[in-house]
Amino acid sequence: MADDKFPGWHGTTIIGVRKGGRVVVAGDGQVSLGQTVIKGSARKVRRLNPGGNEVVCGFAGSTADAFTLLERLEKKLEAAPGQLARACVELAKDWRMDKYLRNLEAMLIVTDGKDLFILTGAGDVLEPEHDIAAIGSGGNFALAAARGLFESDLDAESIARKAMAIASDICVYTNGNLTVEVIGE
């Protein structure tokens, strides 16, 4: 997540794991600027409750941009209660087409306990394979770890926590200060 205006900024690591009727979204708390940790306890996983329907979101990238997207997602969910896929597609269309939104630098993992999606500024609404989604600087490390753990007897939360621990041991832009939200049965 580096560019000319903010060189060296790095995102975070967010993972979503769906297993056994539950979905867990976990995110670390690290915000880095170059080789410096600016903050180690940021909260990048949020619970939304638009129209009485619980949704859990995790974000990587610019915090202000992510909050803008979360507000837009909440409005989409209020307009289409209980229809996460529809709200996500509508947000992705706006994000891709709107001149202001197009410049936002963030990615989202979104779940209502049934569906699990990754949303990007390129207009993508992706339902991940293998019931695991990961984004951010350490996302690929967490994804690989979770896929390796998925066939074990571990539940969704244990897989997410262990995968994030592995990612934090490998990725210098990921720490072990987790926010974990569970949704589903």
Side-chain angles (χ1 to χ4, degrees):
M1 305 260 354
D3 65 21
D4 295 335
K5 295 179 274 188
F6 301 104
W9 282 102
H10 289 275
T12 190
T13 303
I14 305 291
I15 189 163
V17 179
R18 179 175 45 205
K19 185 176 182 184
R22 302 174 86 197
V23 183
V24 175
V25 179
D28 77 323
Q30 184 163 311
V31 178
S32 305
L33 174 59
Q35 298 176 3
T36 304
V37 175
I38 301 297
K39 184 174 184 176
S41 60
R43 190 169 173 267
K44 301 171 198 158
V45 177
R46 307 271 178 192
R47 193 174 284 271
L48 307 176
N49 199 359
N53 296 303
E54 282 196 298
V55 174
V56 173
C57 303
F59 62 87
S62 166
T63 303
D65 291 357
F67 282 157
T68 299
L69 293 167
L70 292 177
E71 287 173 7
R72 297 282 180 119
L73 178 60
E74 256 186 315
K75 289 178 184 170
K76 299 293 184 190
L77 287 164
E78 287 169 357
Q83 298 180 49
L84 182 62
R86 180 178 179 179
C88 288
V89 168
E90 291 298 319
L91 175 63
K93 286 179 2 188
D94 289 353
W95 193 355
R96 177 95 170 127
M97 306 284 282
D98 184 273
K99 189 175 181 178
Y100 167 73
L101 293 178
R102 196 174 351 175
N103 293 316
L104 299 182
E105 295 183 359
M107 291 180 76
L108 303 175
I109 290 180
V110 182
T111 184
D112 60 0
K114 296 176 295 210
D115 293 318
L116 176 65
F117 298 112
I118 298 173
L119 281 72
T120 74
D124 300 315
V125 177
L126 305 169
E127 187 166 14
E129 292 181 328
H130 311 291
D131 292 321
I132 303 166
I135 57 174
S137 298
N140 286 336
F141 301 115
L143 177 65
R147 287 193 55 190
L149 294 165
F150 197 81
E151 296 302 321
S152 71
D153 292 336
L154 296 174
D155 65 3
E157 183 172 352
S158 297
I159 291 170
R161 286 183 181 277
K162 285 183 179 283
M164 290 296 289
I166 291 167
S168 72
D169 284 345
I170 298 169
C171 178
V172 296
Y173 302 111
T174 304
N175 71 16
N177 187 358
L178 299 182
T179 302
V180 178
E181 292 286 348
V182 181
I183 190 168
E185 300 172 0

